[in-house]
């Protein structure tokens, strides 16, 4: 049963705890605290209170009628995590972990962020729960995502630009880990996806599984059956794992993770870790990585900063090998097209990350019958991305005009 | 056959000396200079040399070693080139204990045993892998013991007694005690907990395995402090990289390294 992993901290051969010894006691403490509170009705009640009253759960499962008719295939439903407080699924995890940290008596919370979504999610959870938040963010991302930096600061978090390495998400994680090593006795590291050493991939999956559980129940109520396919984008893999997990043992439900194909896999400029990666160790876990032939982790590319990560959650690596989930990639161009299509047809501006999933779902729907049902996790809203999309479309148009002029 | 690391510690114990372990990033500032730096440190009195094989994501390293590793990678230093450097050092120093310090992924990419076997051919006596705790050690320990290589495990001031016992049992060559809560990088001073940790680890290690203390050590006074608490050796990294990055000329830098190692070695001799 795939749903019973991790076993001894591993998803098959993936996962584990490849961490400096200084962190071992902290990770053990976290493991036992999580075991305790996971099954504690009071903790669950409190978390459920914040998820519903504060963050707005359950989120709707919306039938995208116009999109479905436009594509002309299977019915497409959208799981509206974009309507969750904070604007993305990240809040499910940040509320869960921040509450856990509070129970553990940790007052200082650190986190990493790429585009800033997880940083914002951490900052708001810490604000409402009365904790101190410090967020590491690659210096390049700080430049690219100024608005989110200001949002985090408004919410009371301190943002540390990271100048090391490639100055992006992976280096922000490195720096957060280094901070954690130096302040291990007082600090809680609130990781933003199903990555890192055990128990993080399991714990973040559990907190995000509220997505899949709701989908299952809502689908039963709406259609009296399970969906035929569940599609979600994969950066580190948390919204996908949260969507997939409750369906792992429902063999008839096809599970599709969609990575960022960037300029195309062949170009080498992408972040499709499962499609093009190889096994290795990064950020405390054994998993698929984008790396060179000598084991140096590579810089990745995606138009969506949230998918721009050279690793992936170890549970996805297991699901790939077991062929329980299939993994595809959508390119920058395809994601932008889906972004525009959904905005026009449904009046919903999706984040660029789930735009990758929408693009793939549209292809998939065409191959399936009209009675089939696809659920796409719309992991976040696109307000943060409008500038990027505008610049992208402007430069495309300029390119076209130049061609015409010739 | 006893490997060079154990032999060196035996020899030092018999002379009532602490081991001076010196770390150099392979290929920083360039391959030739890093090799000359190793020679200078040995001339000054280094007992054991640690060759850092640069990795893109060194989570246990502070700004000094990060920057040096990054610079080496930018200049195209590969694990293979780092091992060739080891091979060349080995030719000139047949008895010098040589350790490779890097991160798990560098080995995993090639295959743990295959990488270790190749490193051994190049004259490496053992490995230090700061992101490999006892839980994940199986494959690494097996390969190392099959090849007769040391696998040096790290312990930290907050390591529990149960874990420490496991680490003492697993480590070979010596036990690397991390002096502080933190990453590598030279420090001005140490707190009492560091000395408590040394005493505690020495008590558990009994006389089975030497204990060397590293992270932040920079002055002879630091060494006397660690030795006073019972350390069998000290490991110096960032302070050496600092000298290498700050000197105005190569000649001056190499001379500074000799003098630095000399003064540090003196403190190792009581
Ligand atoms: C809206 C949105 N979706 C998806 C992701 C990717 O993360 P994950 O794969 O962990 O869900 C992000 C990350 O920032 C995000 O902001």
């Amino acid at each position: 049963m795939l749903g019973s992993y991790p076993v001894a901290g591993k998803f098959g051969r993936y996962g584990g705890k490849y961490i400096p010894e200084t962190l071992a006691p902290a990770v053990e403490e976290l493991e036992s605290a999580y075991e305790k509170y996971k099954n504690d009705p009071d903790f669950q009640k409190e978390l459920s209170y914040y998820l519903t009253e504060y963050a707005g759960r359950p989120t709707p499962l919306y039938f995208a009628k116009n999109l479905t008719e436009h594509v002309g295939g299977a019915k497409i439903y959208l799981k509206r995590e974009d309507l969750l407080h904070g604007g993305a699924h990240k809040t499910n995890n940040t509320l869960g972990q921040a509450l856990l940290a509070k129970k553990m008596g940790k007052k200082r919370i650190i986190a990493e962020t790429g585009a800033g979504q997880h940083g914002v999610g951490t900052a708001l959870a810490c604000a409402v729960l009365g904790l101190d938040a410090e967020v590491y963010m690659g210096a390049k991302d700080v430049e690219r995502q100024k608005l989110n930096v200001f949002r985090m600061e408004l919410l009371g978090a301190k943002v540390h630009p990271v100048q090391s390495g490639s100055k992006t998400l992976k280096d922000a994680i490195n720096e957060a880990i280094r901070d954690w090593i130096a302040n291990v006795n007082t600090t809680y590291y609130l990781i933003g996806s199903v990555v890192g050493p055990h128990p993080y991939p399991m714990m973040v999956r559990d907190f995000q599984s509220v997505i899949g559980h709701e989908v299952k129940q809502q689908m039963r109520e709406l259609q009296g059956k399970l969906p035929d396919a569940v599609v979600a984008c994969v950066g580190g893999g948390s919204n996908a794992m949260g969507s997939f997990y409750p369906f792992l043992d429902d063999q008839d439900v096809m599970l599709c993770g969609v990575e960022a194909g960037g300029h195309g896999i062949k170009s080498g400029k992408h972040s499709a870790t499962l499609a093009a990666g190889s096994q290795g160790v990064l950020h405390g876990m054994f998993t698929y990585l984008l790396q060179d032939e000598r084991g140096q982790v590579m810089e990745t590319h995606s138009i969506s900063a949230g998918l721009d990560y050279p690793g992936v959650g170890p549970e996805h690596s297991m699901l790939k090998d077991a062929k329980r989930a299939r993994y595809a990639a959508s390119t920058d161009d395809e994601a932008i097209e889906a972004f525009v299509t959904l905005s026009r047809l449904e009046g919903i501006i999706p984040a660029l990350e789930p735009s990758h999933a929408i693009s793939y779902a549209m292809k998939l729907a065409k191959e399936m019958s009209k009675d089939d049902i696809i659920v796409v996790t719309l992991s976040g809203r696109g307000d943060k991305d409008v500038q990027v999309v505008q610049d992208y479309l402007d430069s495309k148009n300029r390119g076209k005009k130049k061609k015409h002029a010739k | 056959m006893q490997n060079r690391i154990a032999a060196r510690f035996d020899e030092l114990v018999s002379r009532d000396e602490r081991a001076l372990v010196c770390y150099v990033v392979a290929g920083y500032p360039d391959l030739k200079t890093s090799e000359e730096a190793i020679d200078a440190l040995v001339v000054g009195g280094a007992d054991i040399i640690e060759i850092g094989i640069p990795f893109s994501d060194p989570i246990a390293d502070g700004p000094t070693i990060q920057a040096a590793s990054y610079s080496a990678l930018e200049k195209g230093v590969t694990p293979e080139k780092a091992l060739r450097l080891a091979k060349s050092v080995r030719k000139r120093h047949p008895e010098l204990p040589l350790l490779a310090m890097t991160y798990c992924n560098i080995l995993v990419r090639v295959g743990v045993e295959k990488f270790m076997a190749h490193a051994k051919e190049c004259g490496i006596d053992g490995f230090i892998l700061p992101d490999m705790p006892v839980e994940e050690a199986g494959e690494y320990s097996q390969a190392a013991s099959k090849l007769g290589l040391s696998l040096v495990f790290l312990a930290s001031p907050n390591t529990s007694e149960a874990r420490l016992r496991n680490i003492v049992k697993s480590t070979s060559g010596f036990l690397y005690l991390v002096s502080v809560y933190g990453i590598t990088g030279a420090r001005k001073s140490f707190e009492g907990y560091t000395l408590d940790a040394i005493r505690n680890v020495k008590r558990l290690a009994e006389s089975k395995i030497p204990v060397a203390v590293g992270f932040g050590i920079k002055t002879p006074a630091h060494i006397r402090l660690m030795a006073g608490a019972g350390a069998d050796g000290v490991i110096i990294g960032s302070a050496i990289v600092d000298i290498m990055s700050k000197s105005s000329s190569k000649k001056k830098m190499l001379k500074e390294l000799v003098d630095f190692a000399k003064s540090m070695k003196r403190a190792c001799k009581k």
Side-chain angles (χ1 to χ4, degrees):
Chain A
M1 300 284 268
L2 284 170
S4 57
Y5 287 92
V7 176
K10 302 225 163 150
F11 299 93
R13 52 186 304 210
Y14 300 102
K17 311 177 181 175
Y18 292 85
I19 47 168
E21 185 59 32
T22 311
L23 292 181
V27 165
E28 282 173 7
E29 183 193 358
L30 176 61
E31 228 178 314
S32 58
Y34 181 61
E35 277 308 312
K36 176 176 159 201
Y37 287 108
K38 183 167 83 171
N39 301 311
D40 175 14
D42 287 340
F43 178 84
Q44 288 304 336
K45 213 171 121 192
E46 200 174 345
L47 177 56
S48 167
Y49 166 79
Y50 280 106
L51 288 174
T52 51
E53 303 299 321
Y54 175 73
R57 296 216 76 87
T59 59
L61 183 64
Y62 166 71
F63 174 47
K65 186 160 165 280
N66 300 339
L67 183 68
T68 299
E69 279 168 9
H70 171 78
V71 174
K75 295 194 192 84
I76 300 174
Y77 281 78
L78 304 175
K79 179 60 176 165
R80 299 290 307 273
E81 294 301 296
D82 60 317
L83 295 176
L84 192 67
H85 177 50
H89 70 291
K90 300 279 175 191
T91 307
N92 299 321
N93 172 44
T94 58
L95 282 174
Q97 285 198 62
L99 197 59
L100 180 66
K102 193 169 171 169
K103 301 280 175 209
M104 290 170 72
K106 308 267 179 188
K107 284 247 154 54
R108 179 176 182 264
I109 309 294
I110 55 169
E112 82 292 343
T113 197
Q117 285 305 106
H118 175 60
V120 168
T122 300
L124 66 86
C126 288
V128 72
L129 293 173
L131 302 164
D132 297 330
E134 294 183 35
V135 180
Y136 287 93
M137 188 170 185
K140 268 190 203 160
D141 292 330
V142 168
E143 265 315 296
R144 287 193 284 203
Q145 306 283 340
K146 286 203 180 104
L147 205 60
N148 265 344
V149 174
F150 184 58
R151 282 171 85 196
M152 286 184 262
E153 286 169 352
L154 266 181
L155 292 161
K158 192 163 182 229
V159 179
H160 300 289
V162 174
Q163 301 289 353
S164 59
S166 59
K167 302 185 174 62
T168 59
L169 177 59
K170 88 176 168 70
D171 308 285
I173 298 181
N174 293 339
E175 212 49 43
I177 293 175
R178 291 179 189 123
D179 178 317
W180 194 23
I181 294 172
N183 301 291
V184 64
N185 296 321
T186 56
T187 297
Y188 182 96
Y189 180 23
L190 204 164
I191 213 164
S193 191
V194 286
V195 299
H198 177 72
Y200 283 106
M202 168 182 79
M203 182 172 68
V204 176
R205 171 201 74 195
D206 291 350
F207 287 136
Q208 291 293 359
S209 288
V210 65
I211 303 173
H213 285 300
E214 282 179 12
V215 167
K216 214 167 184 176
Q217 196 190 339
Q218 289 165 321
M219 210 68 240
R220 282 209 179 103
E221 282 164 14
L222 289 166
Q223 292 280 341
K225 62 170 197 171
L226 295 181
D228 298 284
V230 176
V231 181
C233 65
V234 176
S238 67
N239 87 88
M241 229 27 259
S243 304
F244 294 175
Y245 186 65
F247 293 100
L248 281 189
D249 296 322
D250 299 312
Q251 294 297 334
D252 294 338
V253 180
M254 186 202 292
L255 304 174
C256 311
V258 186
E259 298 184 301
H263 297 319
I265 306 268
K266 282 200 192 107
S267 73
K269 287 192 158 59
H270 59 82
S271 42
T273 310
L274 289 162
S278 51
Q279 294 152 339
V281 175
L282 179 70
H283 297 149
M285 57 183 170
F286 182 71
T287 191
Y288 279 93
L289 299 179
L290 290 171
Q291 55 182 335
D292 70 14
E293 68 276 19
R294 281 118 179 182
Q296 310 296 354
V297 180
M298 295 193 314
E299 289 185 33
T300 53
H301 166 81
S302 168
I303 187 146
S304 72
L307 301 184
D308 211 347
Y309 178 61
V312 68
E315 194 164 9
H316 285 293
S317 295
M318 174 183 78
L319 296 181
K320 174 192 153 86
D321 287 4
K323 297 194 165 64
R324 175 62 190 96
R326 57 152 101 167
Y327 294 90
S330 300
T331 63
D332 289 352
D333 288 345
E334 289 169 328
I336 295 274
E337 199 183 316
F339 180 98
V340 171
T341 303
L342 196 71
S343 300
R344 299 243 169 101
L345 292 179
E346 298 288 355
I348 297 171
I349 301 177
L352 276 171
E353 291 82 8
S355 297
H356 290 74
I358 292 159
S359 170
Y360 182 73
M362 287 164 68
K363 281 190 221 160
L364 189 65
K366 276 198 199 116
E367 297 164 10
M368 293 168 73
S369 97
K370 290 198 170 182
D371 299 329
D372 288 338
I373 293 170
I374 299 176
V375 171
V376 187
T377 301
L378 188 51
S379 57
R381 65 171 189 233
D383 307 44
K384 69 180 176 65
D385 296 319
V386 291
Q387 188 65 54
V388 174
V389 174
Q390 188 181 29
D391 292 348
Y392 182 92
L393 293 174
D394 281 354
S395 77
K396 277 263 143 144
N397 284 337
R398 246 177 278 130
K400 266 189 208 149
K401 273 187 202 140
K402 259 190 206 151
K403 261 188 207 155
H404 279 289
K406 274 178 196 167
Chain B
M1 193 195 81
Q2 202 190 24
N3 101 10
R4 292 182 189 91
I5 299 167
R8 180 62 53 100
F9 268 102
D10 282 355
E11 192 189 312
L12 290 166
V13 167
S14 74
R15 292 206 304 258
D16 193 24
E17 276 179 33
R18 263 51 55 195
L20 178 63
V21 185
C22 292
Y23 169 92
V24 169
V25 176
Y28 179 77
D30 57 70
L31 281 162
K32 183 157 175 286
T33 308
S34 57
E35 189 169 345
E36 288 166 347
I38 291 171
D39 287 350
L41 291 164
V42 171
V43 168
D47 297 299
I48 297 174
I49 293 288
E50 249 181 60
I51 297 180
I53 303 178
F55 175 53
S56 53
D57 296 83
I59 52 172
D61 285 306
T64 306
I65 294 176
Q66 275 175 51
S69 302
Y70 190 74
S71 147
L73 287 173
E74 292 278 283
K75 286 188 182 151
V77 175
T78 59
E80 179 56 32
K81 286 180 186 166
L83 291 178
R84 253 183 269 153
L85 172 115
K87 198 169 180 173
S88 168
V89 172
R90 170 59 68 226
K91 266 195 204 133
R92 270 172 294 111
H93 305 279
E95 300 307 322
L96 178 68
L98 275 180
L99 281 157
M101 165 136 177
T102 191
Y103 290 80
C104 289
N105 199 47
I106 295 294
L107 283 74
V108 168
R109 187 70 177 113
V110 175
V112 170
E113 188 177 332
K114 193 171 162 202
F115 190 92
M116 283 189 178
H118 181 51
K120 187 182 161 127
E121 279 167 22
C122 295
I124 293 288
D125 299 304
F127 278 86
I128 303 175
L129 302 167
D131 60 344
M132 187 214 54
V134 276
E135 286 89 341
E136 307 297 346
E139 187 184 3
Y140 299 82
S141 289
Q142 256 169 24
S145 84
K146 184 171 156 192
L147 294 162
L149 291 171
S150 293
L151 189 59
V152 176
F153 283 69
L154 292 90
S156 169
N158 60 349
T159 305
S160 67
E161 181 131 351
R163 290 186 68 87
L164 259 180
R165 286 187 197 286
N166 205 350
I167 291 167
V168 167
K169 233 188 291 163
S170 308
T171 197
S172 53
F174 58 93
L175 188 155
Y176 190 143
L177 176 63
V178 172
S179 62
V180 290
Y181 296 118
I183 47 182
T184 59
R187 271 176 183 68
K188 284 208 177 73
S189 64
F190 290 90
E191 291 176 46
Y193 76 80
T194 297
L195 306 181
D196 293 341
I198 297 173
R199 289 186 202 105
N200 187 41
V201 172
K202 275 301 288 179
R203 177 176 59 85
L204 284 173
E206 295 167 19
S207 52
K208 281 179 247 158
I209 191 87
V211 175
V213 183
F215 283 30
I217 296 173
K218 163 181 179 177
T219 66
H222 290 160
I223 295 181
R224 284 190 290 269
L225 199 64
M226 306 301 166
D232 302 301
V234 291
I235 302 151
I236 300 174
S238 297
I240 291 168
V241 178
D242 269 336
I243 293 174
M244 294 177 69
S245 59
K246 283 180 187 147
S247 283
S248 52
S249 78
K250 179 153 141 180
K251 203 173 142 207
K252 197 163 152 255
M253 183 272 282
L254 293 173
K255 167 133 197 334
E256 273 179 64
L257 283 183
V258 174
D259 294 343
F260 177 76
K262 267 188 192 156
S263 72
M264 299 305 260
K265 184 62 205 182
R266 226 174 286 130
C268 289
K269 290 180 180 167
K270 281 245 157 112

